[in-house]
Every structure is written in C-alpha cells, then in structure tokens.
Amino acid sequence: MKSTLRRSLIVLALALLALALAACGRAEPTPTALPTSLPGATPTETPTAVTGDAWARAQAAGKLVVGTSADYPPFEYYDQNFAVDGFDIALIRAIGQRLGLQGEIKDFAFDGLGGALHLGQIDLAISAISVTPEREALVDFSNIYYVSVPVALARSDAQFGQIQQVEELAGMTVGVQRGSVYETWARANLLEPGILGESDLYIYGDMNQAIKDLQRGRVDVVLLDRPVAQDYVAQGGVKIVAEGLQQQQYAMAMAKGQTALQRVVNQALGQVRDDGTVAQLVEQYLGIDEEDIVPVPTPTAVPPTATPAPPT
C-alpha cells in the first residue's frame, strides 16, 4: 500500500515538474479579453487630467520627462553603452532643444506608459505609439510624426510563401507585443472572425522575446512595424512574409487636458520637420531615404487664442 502510494506521489511530482518546464521560456496564449486601447489603461477607464500644468512644470524643472519602452529598435533601444537611443529618442531630444529643455528618458514596459502618464510620472510618451480612436478617448496626442507600414515576420526557413490575405494566417500561431496596436488588430481581425483560436495568439511583454520564440519555432509569425522588422532581418534568421496589412500613424501621447504642452510640442515638431531634421533622423535610424518616406497627414490648424477685449 505504502509503495503504491509512494509511486503515485512520484508520478504526480514528475507530471507537475514536466508542466512547469513546458511553461518556461514561452509566452502564454492570450486569454479572452477586451481589445487593448491604451498601454496601461482599459477602454472602461474614465480619463482624468493630471493635476497641474505639465508644460509649466517642465519649464520650472528645465527638463521634459519622457516615457518610452526601449525594446523596439530602431525606434527605441539600448545602445552598446547602455544608453537609450533610437529614432524616437533622437526626435524627442531635438524637440526638447527647440523648447530649451533637457530630455529625461524613463524606460517602462509598453503597457505601463498609459499609467505613467495618468499618474504624472512622465510629461510625455513616445514609443512608436499608434493613434487610434480608443486611445484618443484616453489621452491627447501630438501631431503625427511618422507613418509606418506593418509587416509579418517568419523564420528564414519557413515553408509558406508571401501572405497576401489575413485569412492565410489561419492555422498559424501569431505573436504580438502586449498593449500594441497589433494586439488590438489581431483580436479584431483574427480572433473575432475566428481565423485564429485564442490559443494561437501569443502576447509578449518584450518584442525581443517574441523574435526569439519565432526563431525557435514556437510561433509562426510576428506582427510589427517594417523598420523594426528590417532591423531583425539584418540580424539574420527571419524574413518578411507580409507587408502593408494596415498603416499606423505615430504620435506622442500626453495626459488629457495638457493643451499648453500639446501646443508647444506641435510647434517644435513642425520646426524639426521643416528644417529637415526629421528626414535626416528617418534616414539615419530607419534607413529610409527622404523620397521614400510615407507622407504624414496635414495637421489640423489650431485656432489662435482669442485676445480679451479691453474694458470700456
């Protein structure tokens, strides 16, 4: 009796150990959930403006505190000296110079940027953040600074060819970054129509881990931006198998109601665009020639502030 019990316990222990090992090193399939509208916030949250004027605080401190998620090269990443660098980082530093402020960069998980804005931990967020109606209900955005073309990456030795239609993703496992527009897109265009099952969509907190799992064959494709994908292609082991699923428009995010900060950031963004700085940074960091840059939408004109009439 005791030996039978002992054998049963050993079998149970080995089974639990096998389950634990199987779970290590892989992203969990996504549970059923609402589409992600903003990193760090849910669509049911009521946005509230951070107390105080962020632009006034930045001026008083002499610095602009900016949040990013430094795991998305070439937009944001750590360089060989362990300093945050990338297209977005260089752009916000150029904007800070126009504003006469130092830029203090803080690294967050991508899905924590919304919370950092609402808690006032940062004045601004720049991290390849796509503008969507759901996010516009939660934060204010700057003017668009870059238009990106989404792609799908697969292993270099993948047996399938170019993907022309989303329906061709049926039967595959797909990886996306948590809190990104690609998670929202995948839920709306792959899960809801039934093209993928819930266990086929893998959500990653870190894009580098998603690429590692792709290279190991744990997922079939990863959805991300073309410049980021090209960076991984250059490193080897992966290839682009789909392009242009849906263009994404990038802008800087700030807490609701920060109209003064929004106005000066847009003015500085216009200056660095007009003087060629943005085109130079696009070529330097993204490897895209000026003539190949997708044009950004024309910003909506901001009406001048009304001047009060003098007393009579």
Side-chain angles (χ1 to χ4, degrees):
M1 179 71 177
K2 289 183 180 179
S3 60
T4 301
L5 177 60
R6 186 179 297 110
R7 284 197 298 272
S8 298
L9 290 174
I10 292 172
V11 170
L12 177 60
L14 290 174
L16 291 174
L17 178 60
L19 286 173
L21 291 174
C24 293
R26 61 171 289 177
E28 289 298 324
T30 177
T32 302
L34 291 172
T36 302
S37 298
L38 174 76
T42 67
T44 57
E45 292 176 344
T46 301
T48 55
V50 175
T51 303
D53 186 330
W55 172 233
R57 289 200 308 270
Q59 287 181 298
K63 64 181 180 181
L64 191 64
V65 183
V66 180
T68 194
S69 179
D71 64 345
Y72 206 57
F75 287 95
E76 35 271 323
Y77 57 89
Y78 283 95
D79 64 16
Q80 59 186 5
N81 297 316
F82 303 102
V84 182
D85 197 5
F87 171 72
D88 283 346
I89 307 307
L91 176 61
I92 198 61
R93 292 196 191 283
I95 288 173
Q97 289 177 355
R98 300 305 190 282
L99 298 177
L101 300 175
Q102 294 291 323
E104 179 181 336
I105 308 299
K106 291 188 174 183
D107 187 13
F108 292 83
F110 187 74
D111 58 358
L113 290 172
L117 279 174
H118 289 294
L119 291 173
Q121 296 173 323
I122 55 178
D123 302 316
L124 196 70
I126 184 169
S127 195
I129 301 173
S130 299
V131 177
T132 67
E134 295 82 6
R135 288 175 176 172
E136 287 180 308
L138 297 168
V139 298
D140 287 336
F141 280 105
S142 70
N143 292 334
I144 307 299
Y145 66 83
Y146 183 73
V147 177
S148 182
V149 178
V151 303
L153 274 183
R155 282 170 49 126
S156 297
D157 60 357
Q159 298 302 305
F160 52 89
Q162 289 294 305
I163 297 170
Q164 305 296 333
Q165 305 289 335
V166 294
E167 290 78 10
E168 296 176 51
L169 293 171
M172 297 188 184
T173 49
V174 177
V176 294
Q177 186 175 38
R178 179 181 295 113
S180 71
V181 71
Y182 297 107
E183 180 185 356
T184 305
W185 183 90
R187 291 185 185 278
N189 294 277
L190 298 176
L191 289 189
E192 290 182 14
I195 295 173
L196 293 185
E198 293 176 4
S199 62
D200 298 323
L201 182 62
Y202 286 72
I203 311 298
Y204 294 88
D206 188 313
M207 181 52 66
N208 292 322
Q209 184 59 49
I211 300 302
K212 288 178 182 178
D213 275 5
L214 178 66
Q215 293 170 330
R216 293 166 181 164
R218 292 174 176 170
V219 292
D220 296 316
V221 297
V222 171
L223 306 179
L224 68 174
D225 299 301
R226 182 167 60 185
V228 184
Q230 290 172 330
D231 192 69
Y232 285 119
V233 169
Q235 296 175 35
V238 296
K239 64 182 179 181
I240 293 174
V241 294
E243 191 165 347
L245 297 174
Q246 181 182 4
Q247 285 190 349
Q248 305 299 330
Q249 298 180 342
Y250 292 164
M252 293 160 273
M254 60 207 78
K256 276 288 186 183
Q258 297 296 340
T259 54
L261 179 62
Q262 184 184 49
R263 184 181 295 271
V264 297
V265 166
N266 282 339
Q267 289 173 346
L269 176 58
Q271 292 170 1
V272 295
R273 183 183 296 117
D274 293 343
D275 68 12
T277 299
V278 172
Q280 176 186 341
L281 294 177
V282 167
E283 183 173 0
Q284 176 183 347
Y285 285 95
L286 309 184
I288 301 173
D289 295 333
E290 185 172 0
E291 60 270 18
D292 296 326
I293 298 174
V294 179
V296 299
T298 302
T300 303
V302 178
T305 305
T307 304
T312 57

